[in-house]
């Protein structure tokens, strides 16, 4: 699992951009949270549907 730290996100329209850092490759990457779906997860390029648990 890559690292995403608190504050490394940005609200853009209806989406939240999660900014991460890959310490193995020394490069930045972005994932997008939109409509309860995580898009761009580094380990899997498939969209991941998220379920909100209260």
């Amino acid at each position: 699992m890559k690292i995403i730290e608190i504050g490394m996100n940005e609200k853009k329209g209806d989406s939240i951009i999660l900014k991460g850092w890959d310490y193995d490759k020394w490069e930045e990457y972005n994932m997008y949270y939109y409509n309860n779906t995580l898009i761009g997860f580094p380990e899997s390029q498939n969209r991941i549907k998220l379920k909100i648990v209260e």
Side-chain angles (χ1 to χ4, degrees), residues 8-19 30-35 37-39:
M8 294 178 68
N9 59 69
E10 173 185 334
K11 178 100 168 112
K12 192 165 196 171
D14 292 343
S15 300
I16 297 174
I17 301 171
L18 304 170
K19 299 173 182 277
N30 293 330
M31 295 184 292
Y32 301 87
Y33 177 73
Y34 173 73
N35 198 22
T37 304
L38 185 63
I39 303 166

